[in-house]
Amino acid sequence: MSQLNQVCYRGIEREDSYTLAAYQAIGGYSAWRKILEEKTDRNQIIEVIKASGLKGRGGAGFSTGLKWSFVDKNNPKQKFLVCNSDEGEPGTCKDTLILSKNPHQLLEGMAICAYVMGATKAYNYMRGEFFLQYQRCEQALNDAISAGLLGKNCLGTGVDVEIFNILGAGSYIVGEETAMLESLEGKRAQPRYKPPFPAVSGLYGMPTIINNTETLASVPVILEKGAEWFAQLGTKGSGGTKIFCVSGHVNQPGVFEVPMGIAFSELLEMAGGVRKGRKLKAVIPGGTSMRILSANKTLSMRMDYEDIAKMGSALGSGGVIIMDDSTCMVQALCHMMRFYEEESCGQCTPCREGSGWVYKILKDMVSGKARPDAVEQLYTVAKKIEGRTICAFGEAISWPVTSFIDTFREEFDYIVANQGKSWVESQVAGAHARAFGWHAKDNRDAS
Amino acid sequence: MTEQVLTVKIDGKTLSCKPGQSIIEVADQNGIFIPRFCYHKSLSVVASCRMCLVEVERAPKALPACATPVADGMVIKSQSKIARQAQKAVMEFLLINHPLDCPICDQGGECELQDLSMGYGQSESSFYQSKRAVKDEDLGPLIATNMTRCIHCTRCVRFGREIAGTPELGAVGRGGHMEIGTFLKQGVQSEVSGNMIDLCPVGALTSKPFKYQGRSWGFGSHSHMSAHDCLGSHLSVHTQVTNVGKEQRLMRVLPKESHHVNGTWLSDRDRFSYTANEQNRILKPMFKKQGNWIEVSWQEALTLAAKKLSELKMGQGQLLLSPSVSTEEGYMAMKLAVHLGLETCFSMLKQDLKDQFSGVGVSQITMHDVKQAKNIVMIGSNPKVHQPILGLAIRQAQLAGAKVEHLTASGLTLNYQATQLIAHPRLWVNHLLSHAQSQNIAFEGIKSVNTEVGWGQVDLWVLGEGVLMHPQGSEIRSLVSQMVQATGAKLLILTEGSNTAGLSIVAKELDVNLSDRPYLQKIGIHSEAIWLHQTHPEFDIPFNETIYHQLKKSFVVATSSFWSDQMKEYADLVLPIASHYETSGTQVNVMGHVQSYQAALMPLGESRPAWKVFKVLGQLLGKTDFSEIEALSDIQQLMKLSVLSHAGYDYKVDQLRPANQVSLLNISAKHPMACDAQVRHAEPLQNTMDQLRVRISEQTLQSLDIHSRKTVVLFSGAFSEVLLDISHDIADGCIEFVGDYRELAGSWLQEIELGNGA
Amino acid sequence: MSSQIIHERLASAIDQWVNKFPKGEQKSATLMALRLVQEEYRWLEQPHLDAVAEYLKLPKIDVYEVASFYSMYQHQPVGKHLVKVCTSLSCCLNGAYGVVEYLEGKLNIQCGQTTKDGRITLQETECLAACAGAPAICVDDKFYHENVTAQTIEKMIRPLIEEGA
Ligand SMILES: Cc1cc2nc3c(=O)[nH]c(=O)nc-3n(C[C@H](O)[C@H](O)[C@H](O)COP(=O)(O)O)c2cc1C
Ligand code: SF4
Ligand code: FES
Ligand code: FES
């Protein structure tokens, strides 16, 4: 079995893992101290991060080292670092644990990144409900400042890194990086058109880097243990570890920090396998914005950027949603699209109008009011959104819809032909159309 | 350094362009049309409607032309399959929630959505679900809304934020539930709100006065000029021939783009004053016989006028001329006045004319200079309400980094960032002196003073209404103009009406007897006859009982377009005159910009262009030089507007007069919505005003021993009870009217008395 | 006006957030100012929004735009406690609608409504980032309850109903 929790979750099994003492006991802040002492050249750090193969863990998977190199350190303007702790992608619940159990490692990672880009101010933007996580981060921040590690004149070296913990107010789109900048400016979280990119004009129009929580929390360990060590944990194109959140129809849902490239089957096993001995039907491997995969595609799939892409989806945020054979795909998609209809920011036409249209068609299907050509229509509407919006939210509507239809076409045709009657209900024993009947023991093999 | 030039290809045409330009800008410059909704050249780019998607070679997906900067060698296809598919998809999305009510929509025929849907839409949408319905808001008397038609382009929102500086509309809610509105369901307050009607590409925001008035395709369009402030915005006036007979009607007024004045914008006052054109007009010559008005023929009326005027002794009569009439009619009127020996006055506000300031040639400045200024000091000026287009220019300068400072007697609600020095008008001269001292500028024979102002090196001075009506106006103008000469700064002295400059030029030309006595005193001397041209003293000058009685006593000839209630009492003979929009002529704005315009429609009823009336009157009076004038162009030849560039202002004040000590000073300027008869009769504009209140400081109330908190009683000719607005934001010893104070207009910078109310 | 709504304690709480942002960028504190005001008054009415605008020296519409965008702001009267059940995919797959139905029965209200005694408002919410603990509930936008069962729900709502009585 692969080794768990080597990077972002290291040490979290300790009850007091979030304290400064516990963190320093496992070598925490040593990378940051070393940088402050040696005044390490920033390019050297960037090279290490590049060599480690670390890619953005927020969803897009962009090389972190490369992103850092886009900001001109010598630009005299105020520069900013923003940590994206919004964790809004349905199916994803990994950053929350870093914030509550290992906040110092995130702060250290932020400090290092801020140092590299020459930012003296950094914001850690957490979603509004992360109140307890926020308190942990505030405590950690205050302790680190008291210890002289953060704030003005860190360890007397003249380096300033002021970090501020921020809370949102309920919005999925705020997780999109430029929407987050708008939100930090106290506005509606409406994504900006790029170019200009944040590295040139970001928060308050100043050069800004935005990284995900997991990305930044990985940095101290990489610098401590070396790029080589990190890279070899994973596969050729996907260095290091990744936190996967396995949820849905499994017996022991959970978050697992495992080496990249681990077999999907192993991950599923870690989560206790499909519930009640039911059959695996489908997997969304990277949060609900990614394409769905049928069970057979996942049999031999490895969990890294390349292999999941080869199967036709993406690693995304690492939110792995497992569905068993009792799941009605039309119902499931309808649910997902309610989310996207609800969360579209509304500024660009294809997303604003398309998200509502898609959801309307799906509701019609489920309630038996759909026209005969509804499946075709749903597909073309989704296709018309793709690639035509300001931000990737358009794809987050289009990809699920088209992949659900491509993979489970017969269920869509069936529900339209049978006035809202679900295919699984008629075909699968024990399946409930809403599939959402609840009682703990209904859902899982009690362990 | 030569500017870098890039080459791109759009739809097969090779074009050169500058770095930083967007694809759509380059396309527009070269006459290639790319569809768009959210993009507007005067607003920021948001790239949200997605209508302008085009194919760019080597880009993985279609890109928005409005937000994609050109790069050298870029190959752009706006008509390719990829581009057309994207544009069609966007159009379909826009239409699914858009009502199909084009036949009853006021925007019909000039709707950008309707136009584009012809080219990019499909005849039948596959959307069959129910459409979104959006509740309408009442945005006030000027803008009609139908928000279900809104396509969320946010042009109106950006206009409010970026151009007007009065963010009132916003996007409320999110996703498909996002609506454009004020959230509060309250009207918009901006002085330039009508521009949102022009900006709205669909029929969501339309003109309320214009609602259901007609379809634009039958309209005739005429270039004209506005006559309500000293900038004179350029207009496109739309008229329609009605079915009955051949009669024309004014349908609406839109801005006409002009670089040196209004750009693409227009103030609400200039846009909606046309609605007055058929209100309360004088349609026939009328004569008051034993207290009763009777209709008379033009022939009789003119003969009577000539008789009355020719009986006058030298210096026994007066001509009161609106500062907003065309130069041509002003020329003719003053020529007559010279012949008849009448004293002439076309300044309604000035109290102090010691420097003979006329408004000509002083402001050697352009709109561009204003926008480029870096440190602006404005004295007694509130352009946001009095010259809204200038307000926008100052805002533009401020956004570009200019520091703006106001010297004012009461706090102004501005649409740009500025510091305000609130001081009693009698202290203004002192402030100027101390500024001069800080800049090491000395004035011959004038002692320096010890107050602090931190204006620094000023590069633009603007003197507004507060200086025009200031009892020490000469001092202020003189000191500022001397500093301007010493420092090379620019100076803009704002004037009354729309044509003070033009009238001043011809007054000089004709050697008109312009007295240096303020208007108020002037009308007080016993005149045997008073000739009012396009003026109503009860609104246009500081008015009181004495003046009223004087008017009643004199023989009053009114050459005017509009009636007023009081005019019926004090006038004796009225001659109907073509309204501004029915008049051809020339105006000179405060920046020296000369502009001619043609009448947009025939004069209503029996009214006639003023210059023709004056010509006949001249002839009847036996003045041969009037017979030679056959056409407007003959007057234009005589006017010699070329003197403009030579005129200057070189008055040097040598001795400062002490400021008047009054116990309570009314600092209200003439109400912007009462500036002239045309505006006063425009109902939609009149309906924009809030309730009348009087603003005063706590300190002042106490010093007057007034203990009421809700209202005060005001003595200005008559008693009236007025709501109180106690404010820290006004200099002690001053009061100011806010809201609807049209009736109380004529007491600016005059003493006023208050007593206890409720 | 604003001083009545944003009293001293609230003002100093807001100022702490204002101070997290660069000078002159007090607009950035809008989100938290609204939240703090909401915590004080439970839901936001126009005077509250205007008070925030006035306090932060912003045009009112800026505050309205923000208040109407983020889903945590309540614009209708709500109870003393907010019980929000996640009904996004992972929670649904684990019976989130059963949870909603159970709570509806238990509290004798429909989702979206407030109990008669004004103590609890029941709402649906989107993914809370607790998917591995589905079904999940968030109370008062702060406190998470995961893997909820009939028993844990009982335990969860009892103090909400009884506390301070
Ligand atoms: C609709 C949408 C939602 C997103 N939500 C999140 C999120 O909740 N958390 C996150 O870290 N990134 C999110 N992202 C990705 C961010 O835009 C951005 O790519 C990321 O924060 C960059 O950090 P990284 O390079 O470290 O991954 C989202 C993107 C989109 C388009
Ligand atoms: S794609 Fe959707 S979420 Fe993204 S900017 Fe456009 S409307 Fe907003
Ligand atoms: S015009 Fe370019 S996106 Fe709207
Ligand atoms: S789906 Fe419910 S917490 Fe994520």
Side-chain angles (χ1 to χ4, degrees), chain A residues 170-171 188 190 193 195 341-350 352-354 357 360-361 364 369-371 374 377 381 384-385 387-390 395, chain B residues 46-50 53 61 63-64 67-68 85-86 89-90 92-94 96-97 126-130 132 151-152 171-178:
Chain A
S171 153
R188 300 157 63 81
Q190 296 186 162
Y193 183 74
E341 191 257 355
E342 185 100 341
E343 299 292 339
S344 161
C345 88
Q347 66 172 328
C348 69
T349 309
R352 177 186 63 244
E353 306 296 342
W357 195 354
K360 273 183 183 158
I361 300 173
D364 284 350
K369 286 190 295 215
R371 293 204 183 171
Q377 192 193 27
V381 171
K384 280 178 188 166
I385 302 171
R388 292 171 183 156
T389 52
I390 292 182
E395 283 72 46
Chain B
V46 287
S48 64
C49 76
R50 318 304 287 174
L53 291 172
K61 50 186 185 180
L63 298 177
T68 307
Q85 270 179 348
V90 171
E92 188 177 2
F93 283 127
L94 282 172
I96 60 169
N97 276 311
S126 44
F127 183 82
Y128 55 82
Q129 282 85 0
S130 60
R132 173 171 61 225
I151 57 165
H152 309 88
V172 175
R174 77 180 179 205
H177 310 283
M178 178 174 97

Side-chain angles (χ1 to χ4, degrees), chain A residues 89-93 247, chain C residues 86-92 125-136 144:
Chain A
E89 179 75 12
T92 316
C93 49
S247 67
Chain C
C86 170
T87 51
S88 278
L89 187 60
S90 297
C91 286
C92 276
T125 188
E126 298 294 355
C127 181
L128 291 163
C131 325
Y144 279 58

Side-chain angles (χ1 to χ4, degrees), chain B residues 231-293:
Chain B
L231 293 161
S233 288
H234 291 207
L235 309 176
S236 175
V237 175
H238 291 190
T239 56
Q240 193 178 30
V241 178
T242 55
N243 296 336
V244 254
K246 276 268 163 115
E247 208 176 290
Q248 277 172 305
R249 291 194 65 196
L250 263 185
M251 300 310 294
R252 63 175 178 186
V253 166
L254 299 178
K256 186 172 156 237
E257 191 163 350
S258 86
H259 274 306
H260 37 258
V261 188
N262 48 307
T264 49
W265 313 124
L266 200 57
S267 70
D268 290 350
R269 192 168 59 185
D270 290 344
R271 181 186 298 267
F272 292 108
S273 72
Y274 81 89
T275 54
N277 208 52
E278 291 170 21
Q279 306 297 320
N280 209 17
R281 284 286 296 274
I282 303 170
L283 296 171
K284 290 198 158 88
M286 308 274 279
F287 174 59
K288 189 155 69 184
K289 203 168 183 184
Q290 274 125 29
N292 294 317
W293 284 100

Side-chain angles (χ1 to χ4, degrees), chain A residues 109-218:
Chain A
M110 288 177 73
I112 294 169
C113 177
Y115 170 86
V116 167
M117 65 180 292
T120 53
K121 286 184 194 294
Y123 292 98
N124 179 23
Y125 188 117
M126 283 166 262
R127 58 180 296 158
E129 293 89 350
F130 279 180
F131 185 72
L132 300 175
Q133 294 85 332
Y134 168 79
Q135 287 183 322
R136 284 274 168 86
C137 288
E138 280 288 276
Q139 182 65 48
L141 179 62
N142 290 335
D143 292 347
I145 292 172
S146 302
L149 288 159
L150 296 176
K152 290 229 155 93
N153 192 16
C154 301
L155 295 179
T157 57
V159 175
D160 293 345
V161 177
E162 288 187 276
I163 297 177
F164 303 95
N165 293 308
I166 302 296
L167 277 169
S171 153
Y172 164 65
I173 192 62
V174 82
E176 197 282 335
E177 55 188 10
T178 53
M180 182 163 284
L181 299 179
E182 291 283 302
S183 186
L184 276 168
E185 292 178 9
K187 303 181 192 154
R188 300 157 63 81
Q190 296 186 162
R192 300 175 184 169
Y193 183 74
K194 294 175 275 193
F197 288 92
V200 177
S201 173
L203 186 58
Y204 309 120
M206 304 297 171
T208 304
I209 283 178
I210 300 120
N211 269 132
N212 169 254
T213 322
E214 186 184 349
T215 314
L216 289 167
S218 304

Side-chain angles (χ1 to χ4, degrees), chain B residues 500-551:
Chain B
T500 294
L503 297 178
S504 301
I505 296 167
V506 292
K508 223 171 220 173
E509 182 76 21
L510 291 166
D511 216 359
V512 174
N513 175 17
L514 289 173
S515 140
D516 62 357
R517 270 172 306 168
Y519 194 75
L520 181 65
Q521 292 166 24
K522 229 167 148 54
I523 201 161
I525 63 164
H526 63 278
S527 300
E528 294 197 345
I530 295 174
W531 171 14
L532 305 173
H533 181 49
Q534 298 286 31
T535 52
H536 297 92
E538 69 274 28
F539 289 110
D540 286 323
I541 64 163
F543 198 66
N544 57 31
E545 288 286 291
T546 328
I547 299 174
Y548 179 70
H549 288 301
Q550 180 60 47
L551 280 168

